[in-house]
Amino acid sequence: RSTGGQEGFAVYFNTLDGNNWTWFNVAGWSNTLAGVTQHIGGGSWIELCEKVPFEIKTNVWYDVRVVLDGPRIQCYVNSNLVLTAVYSNAPAPVNVVTVSAPAALPPTTLNASGPATRGNRNFPFGKPPISGAIGVGCWNTLVEIKNIVVTSNDVTLYQSDFEKDSIDSWNIAGGTWSI
């Protein structure tokens, strides 16, 4: 959820390194649009589908889900399909589902004002993290994030535990983060 600022938040996926990733930007562009963009080689930005009007409200929790099926990307907010996109130059398939849901969670959250991923501490400017890494981020906005789950074929690959994890278990690429 956004707790203040002019933008929404982003879910990063198929993150190969700091120069090659894809994101579902929820309420970006001054809280007006949602889009799926692929960043390639540190320079090219490829819009994988048309942006759609989308805004979020401050202090409201959102369930954000990204479903990957080969080159097809489906992006949901509160169980509603917001965007469908397709890679024209698909990265190596990871086939994961990324979920950020507030249901049945402990009160601890990840407070953020910038991008972060799980993996290499120097992301996005150092060595590449594990192929297919996921991440969360925001721009000029304060957000709280809880219950991040990554699954593949109904097997949980990662589930956040902000009660146990320290901020050192995340790769911070800017901004201020706390747990």
Side-chain angles (χ1 to χ4, degrees), residues 61 101-109 145-147 159-164:
W61 284 105
L105 300 173
T108 305
T109 58
I145 300 161
K146 51 186 176 179
N147 201 29
Q159 183 164 3
S160 62
D161 184 350
F162 297 127
E163 290 284 322
K164 270 189 349 187

PDB file of all heavy atoms in Angstrom, residues 61 101-109 145-147 159-164:
ATOM      1  N   TRP A  61      -4.711  -1.365   1.179  1.00  0.00           N
ATOM      2  CA  TRP A  61      -3.906  -2.525   0.790  1.00  0.00           C
ATOM      3  C   TRP A  61      -4.398  -3.065  -0.543  1.00  0.00           C
ATOM      4  O   TRP A  61      -5.607  -3.116  -0.799  1.00  0.00           O
ATOM      5  CB  TRP A  61      -3.992  -3.629   1.839  1.00  0.00           C
ATOM      6  CG  TRP A  61      -3.165  -3.340   3.049  1.00  0.00           C
ATOM      7  CD1 TRP A  61      -3.624  -2.938   4.269  1.00  0.00           C
ATOM      8  CD2 TRP A  61      -1.743  -3.399   3.152  1.00  0.00           C
ATOM      9  NE1 TRP A  61      -2.563  -2.756   5.129  1.00  0.00           N
ATOM     10  CE2 TRP A  61      -1.394  -3.039   4.470  1.00  0.00           C
ATOM     11  CE3 TRP A  61      -0.723  -3.722   2.264  1.00  0.00           C
ATOM     12  CZ2 TRP A  61      -0.089  -2.993   4.921  1.00  0.00           C
ATOM     13  CZ3 TRP A  61       0.587  -3.682   2.713  1.00  0.00           C
ATOM     14  CH2 TRP A  61       0.890  -3.319   4.014  1.00  0.00           C
ATOM     15  N   ALA A 101       0.022 -10.199  -0.998  1.00  0.00           N
ATOM     16  CA  ALA A 101      -1.346 -10.167  -0.488  1.00  0.00           C
ATOM     17  C   ALA A 101      -1.370  -9.859   0.996  1.00  0.00           C
ATOM     18  O   ALA A 101      -0.522 -10.337   1.732  1.00  0.00           O
ATOM     19  CB  ALA A 101      -2.021 -11.510  -0.740  1.00  0.00           C
ATOM     20  N   PRO A 102      -2.337  -9.090   1.470  1.00  0.00           N
ATOM     21  CA  PRO A 102      -2.385  -8.730   2.882  1.00  0.00           C
ATOM     22  C   PRO A 102      -3.153  -9.705   3.767  1.00  0.00           C
ATOM     23  O   PRO A 102      -3.278  -9.478   4.948  1.00  0.00           O
ATOM     24  CB  PRO A 102      -3.099  -7.376   2.857  1.00  0.00           C
ATOM     25  CG  PRO A 102      -3.981  -7.464   1.673  1.00  0.00           C
ATOM     26  CD  PRO A 102      -3.231  -8.292   0.661  1.00  0.00           C
ATOM     27  N   ALA A 103      -3.660 -10.790   3.232  1.00  0.00           N
ATOM     28  CA  ALA A 103      -4.507 -11.675   4.034  1.00  0.00           C
ATOM     29  C   ALA A 103      -3.711 -12.411   5.108  1.00  0.00           C
ATOM     30  O   ALA A 103      -2.634 -12.932   4.854  1.00  0.00           O
ATOM     31  CB  ALA A 103      -5.186 -12.684   3.123  1.00  0.00           C
ATOM     32  N   ALA A 104      -4.225 -12.453   6.316  1.00  0.00           N
ATOM     33  CA  ALA A 104      -3.689 -13.226   7.445  1.00  0.00           C
ATOM     34  C   ALA A 104      -2.203 -12.996   7.662  1.00  0.00           C
ATOM     35  O   ALA A 104      -1.419 -13.924   7.696  1.00  0.00           O
ATOM     36  CB  ALA A 104      -3.975 -14.705   7.232  1.00  0.00           C
ATOM     37  N   LEU A 105      -1.801 -11.764   7.801  1.00  0.00           N
ATOM     38  CA  LEU A 105      -0.386 -11.429   7.932  1.00  0.00           C
ATOM     39  C   LEU A 105      -0.051 -10.910   9.316  1.00  0.00           C
ATOM     40  O   LEU A 105      -0.883 -10.294   9.966  1.00  0.00           O
ATOM     41  CB  LEU A 105      -0.023 -10.336   6.917  1.00  0.00           C
ATOM     42  CG  LEU A 105      -0.242 -10.707   5.471  1.00  0.00           C
ATOM     43  CD1 LEU A 105      -0.022  -9.500   4.600  1.00  0.00           C
ATOM     44  CD2 LEU A 105       0.685 -11.821   5.070  1.00  0.00           C
ATOM     45  N   PRO A 106       1.202 -11.123   9.739  1.00  0.00           N
ATOM     46  CA  PRO A 106       1.639 -10.466  10.970  1.00  0.00           C
ATOM     47  C   PRO A 106       1.727  -8.969  10.733  1.00  0.00           C
ATOM     48  O   PRO A 106       1.779  -8.518   9.588  1.00  0.00           O
ATOM     49  CB  PRO A 106       3.020 -11.079  11.225  1.00  0.00           C
ATOM     50  CG  PRO A 106       3.496 -11.536   9.891  1.00  0.00           C
ATOM     51  CD  PRO A 106       2.249 -11.925   9.125  1.00  0.00           C
ATOM     52  N   PRO A 107       1.781  -8.165  11.777  1.00  0.00           N
ATOM     53  CA  PRO A 107       1.777  -6.718  11.597  1.00  0.00           C
ATOM     54  C   PRO A 107       3.062  -6.157  11.008  1.00  0.00           C
ATOM     55  O   PRO A 107       3.092  -5.024  10.589  1.00  0.00           O
ATOM     56  CB  PRO A 107       1.564  -6.192  13.024  1.00  0.00           C
ATOM     57  CG  PRO A 107       2.011  -7.296  13.912  1.00  0.00           C
ATOM     58  CD  PRO A 107       1.742  -8.571  13.164  1.00  0.00           C
ATOM     59  N   THR A 108       4.136  -6.924  10.948  1.00  0.00           N
ATOM     60  CA  THR A 108       5.399  -6.416  10.425  1.00  0.00           C
ATOM     61  C   THR A 108       5.318  -6.244   8.916  1.00  0.00           C
ATOM     62  O   THR A 108       4.810  -7.101   8.217  1.00  0.00           O
ATOM     63  CB  THR A 108       6.543  -7.384  10.763  1.00  0.00           C
ATOM     64  OG1 THR A 108       6.551  -7.581  12.160  1.00  0.00           O
ATOM     65  CG2 THR A 108       7.869  -6.842  10.310  1.00  0.00           C
ATOM     66  N   THR A 109       5.833  -5.137   8.414  1.00  0.00           N
ATOM     67  CA  THR A 109       5.832  -4.877   6.980  1.00  0.00           C
ATOM     68  C   THR A 109       7.201  -4.368   6.567  1.00  0.00           C
ATOM     69  O   THR A 109       8.021  -3.984   7.389  1.00  0.00           O
ATOM     70  CB  THR A 109       4.788  -3.808   6.599  1.00  0.00           C
ATOM     71  OG1 THR A 109       5.081  -2.620   7.315  1.00  0.00           O
ATOM     72  CG2 THR A 109       3.388  -4.281   6.887  1.00  0.00           C
ATOM     73  N   ILE A 145       4.929  -3.068   2.237  1.00  0.00           N
ATOM     74  CA  ILE A 145       4.775  -4.304   1.469  1.00  0.00           C
ATOM     75  C   ILE A 145       4.769  -5.459   2.453  1.00  0.00           C
ATOM     76  O   ILE A 145       5.590  -5.500   3.367  1.00  0.00           O
ATOM     77  CB  ILE A 145       5.935  -4.459   0.466  1.00  0.00           C
ATOM     78  CG1 ILE A 145       5.923  -3.270  -0.500  1.00  0.00           C
ATOM     79  CG2 ILE A 145       5.846  -5.787  -0.268  1.00  0.00           C
ATOM     80  CD1 ILE A 145       7.205  -3.042  -1.220  1.00  0.00           C
ATOM     81  N   LYS A 146       3.839  -6.402   2.259  1.00  0.00           N
ATOM     82  CA  LYS A 146       3.855  -7.585   3.105  1.00  0.00           C
ATOM     83  C   LYS A 146       3.384  -8.798   2.340  1.00  0.00           C
ATOM     84  O   LYS A 146       2.678  -8.688   1.349  1.00  0.00           O
ATOM     85  CB  LYS A 146       3.047  -7.375   4.376  1.00  0.00           C
ATOM     86  CG  LYS A 146       1.647  -6.848   4.228  1.00  0.00           C
ATOM     87  CD  LYS A 146       1.079  -6.570   5.617  1.00  0.00           C
ATOM     88  CE  LYS A 146      -0.283  -5.954   5.571  1.00  0.00           C
ATOM     89  NZ  LYS A 146      -0.810  -5.729   6.914  1.00  0.00           N
ATOM     90  N   ASN A 147       3.812  -9.939   2.818  1.00  0.00           N
ATOM     91  CA  ASN A 147       3.458 -11.250   2.287  1.00  0.00           C
ATOM     92  C   ASN A 147       3.786 -11.414   0.811  1.00  0.00           C
ATOM     93  O   ASN A 147       2.891 -11.513  -0.026  1.00  0.00           O
ATOM     94  CB  ASN A 147       1.984 -11.568   2.549  1.00  0.00           C
ATOM     95  CG  ASN A 147       1.719 -13.056   2.478  1.00  0.00           C
ATOM     96  OD1 ASN A 147       2.605 -13.853   2.771  1.00  0.00           O
ATOM     97  ND2 ASN A 147       0.536 -13.431   2.078  1.00  0.00           N
ATOM     98  N   GLN A 159       8.868 -17.222   0.292  1.00  0.00           N
ATOM     99  CA  GLN A 159       7.799 -16.526   1.001  1.00  0.00           C
ATOM    100  C   GLN A 159       8.455 -15.593   2.009  1.00  0.00           C
ATOM    101  O   GLN A 159       9.309 -16.012   2.790  1.00  0.00           O
ATOM    102  CB  GLN A 159       6.862 -17.490   1.708  1.00  0.00           C
ATOM    103  CG  GLN A 159       5.716 -16.755   2.376  1.00  0.00           C
ATOM    104  CD  GLN A 159       4.568 -17.668   2.744  1.00  0.00           C
ATOM    105  OE1 GLN A 159       4.624 -18.874   2.560  1.00  0.00           O
ATOM    106  NE2 GLN A 159       3.506 -17.078   3.256  1.00  0.00           N
ATOM    107  N   SER A 160       8.065 -14.330   1.968  1.00  0.00           N
ATOM    108  CA  SER A 160       8.655 -13.351   2.878  1.00  0.00           C
ATOM    109  C   SER A 160       8.292 -13.680   4.318  1.00  0.00           C
ATOM    110  O   SER A 160       7.228 -14.220   4.599  1.00  0.00           O
ATOM    111  CB  SER A 160       8.180 -11.941   2.532  1.00  0.00           C
ATOM    112  OG  SER A 160       6.775 -11.843   2.674  1.00  0.00           O
ATOM    113  N   ASP A 161       9.217 -13.374   5.203  1.00  0.00           N
ATOM    114  CA  ASP A 161       8.978 -13.489   6.638  1.00  0.00           C
ATOM    115  C   ASP A 161       9.648 -12.281   7.268  1.00  0.00           C
ATOM    116  O   ASP A 161      10.781 -12.350   7.728  1.00  0.00           O
ATOM    117  CB  ASP A 161       9.545 -14.791   7.203  1.00  0.00           C
ATOM    118  CG  ASP A 161       9.214 -14.977   8.673  1.00  0.00           C
ATOM    119  OD1 ASP A 161       8.718 -14.015   9.318  1.00  0.00           O
ATOM    120  OD2 ASP A 161       9.449 -16.086   9.184  1.00  0.00           O
ATOM    121  N   PHE A 162       8.952 -11.152   7.241  1.00  0.00           N
ATOM    122  CA  PHE A 162       9.542  -9.920   7.725  1.00  0.00           C
ATOM    123  C   PHE A 162       9.717  -9.923   9.241  1.00  0.00           C
ATOM    124  O   PHE A 162      10.372  -9.050   9.787  1.00  0.00           O
ATOM    125  CB  PHE A 162       8.732  -8.716   7.255  1.00  0.00           C
ATOM    126  CG  PHE A 162       8.715  -8.590   5.749  1.00  0.00           C
ATOM    127  CD1 PHE A 162       7.530  -8.484   5.055  1.00  0.00           C
ATOM    128  CD2 PHE A 162       9.891  -8.596   5.025  1.00  0.00           C
ATOM    129  CE1 PHE A 162       7.509  -8.360   3.674  1.00  0.00           C
ATOM    130  CE2 PHE A 162       9.892  -8.492   3.646  1.00  0.00           C
ATOM    131  CZ  PHE A 162       8.701  -8.373   2.971  1.00  0.00           C
ATOM    132  N   GLU A 163       9.153 -10.929   9.933  1.00  0.00           N
ATOM    133  CA  GLU A 163       9.411 -11.092  11.364  1.00  0.00           C
ATOM    134  C   GLU A 163      10.835 -11.609  11.575  1.00  0.00           C
ATOM    135  O   GLU A 163      11.503 -11.244  12.523  1.00  0.00           O
ATOM    136  CB  GLU A 163       8.413 -12.075  11.992  1.00  0.00           C
ATOM    137  CG  GLU A 163       7.004 -11.545  12.088  1.00  0.00           C
ATOM    138  CD  GLU A 163       6.847 -10.543  13.214  1.00  0.00           C
ATOM    139  OE1 GLU A 163       7.447 -10.728  14.275  1.00  0.00           O
ATOM    140  OE2 GLU A 163       6.114  -9.571  13.013  1.00  0.00           O
ATOM    141  N   LYS A 164      11.306 -12.503  10.669  1.00  0.00           N
ATOM    142  CA  LYS A 164      12.627 -13.121  10.781  1.00  0.00           C
ATOM    143  C   LYS A 164      13.695 -12.420   9.955  1.00  0.00           C
ATOM    144  O   LYS A 164      14.828 -12.305  10.377  1.00  0.00           O
ATOM    145  CB  LYS A 164      12.563 -14.586  10.325  1.00  0.00           C
ATOM    146  CG  LYS A 164      12.246 -15.557  11.399  1.00  0.00           C
ATOM    147  CD  LYS A 164      12.397 -17.018  11.000  1.00  0.00           C
ATOM    148  CE  LYS A 164      12.594 -17.334   9.559  1.00  0.00           C
ATOM    149  NZ  LYS A 164      12.569 -18.755   9.235  1.00  0.00           N
TER     150      LYS A 164
END
